[in-house]
Amino acid sequence: MRCVTFTIYQPFDEQNGLSKSKEELETHGILVAALPEREHNGKSSVLYINPQTKALWYEYVDVNPPEDRITKLEIATEENKKANLDTQEAVLQLYEMVTGPQA
């Protein structure tokens, strides 16, 4: 099983093709007649191929909407700010322990 990373739909087209023979193309990839239909299920599709059988299929991955990503980033930012303040406070306490209280 391999993830398909490059697709050209008209490899033999004179204007938009790759200007290579079938044999030349098969040394670098796999030629297939058609791609399977994608499901429209709100998920991101990733195309896979079995190089021996040339069987193609999609696997579907959940996609986080931008709002979810923004919310997660905001939460992470607040957690980082709190951790930074905690670290600064610990460093100050350590400094005071080493140097003694300031008058």
Side-chain angles (χ1 to χ4, degrees):
M1 165 171 92
R2 297 176 116 183
C3 181
V4 175
T5 57
F6 180 76
T7 304
I8 184 159
Y9 294 93
Q10 298 176 324
F12 303 113
D13 184 73
E14 288 184 21
Q15 186 176 12
N16 299 313
L18 298 174
S19 302
K20 293 184 178 184
S21 69
K22 179 182 177 197
E23 292 76 21
E24 290 174 309
L25 291 174
E26 288 179 328
T27 63
H28 299 290
I30 299 168
L31 296 174
V32 296
L35 297 177
E37 286 289 320
R38 292 182 194 185
E39 294 178 21
H40 298 285
N41 56 14
K43 296 183 177 187
S44 179
S45 59
V46 180
L47 182 61
Y48 287 90
I49 188 166
N50 179 325
Q52 285 75 36
T53 65
K54 295 186 181 180
L56 293 159
W57 69 94
Y58 291 102
E59 292 187 8
Y60 298 91
V61 182
D62 288 328
V63 178
N64 291 333
E67 298 81 22
D68 287 352
R69 291 192 315 221
I70 290 170
T71 301
K72 288 178 183 178
L73 285 172
E74 288 173 340
I75 291 169
T77 299
E78 287 304 314
E79 289 173 351
N80 286 339
K81 284 180 185 178
K82 184 177 181 328
N84 189 24
L85 288 173
D86 290 346
T87 301
Q88 289 177 355
E89 186 176 319
V91 168
L92 178 59
Q93 289 175 357
L94 181 61
Y95 177 78
E96 287 177 349
M97 286 174 53
V98 170
T99 62
Q102 299 294 317

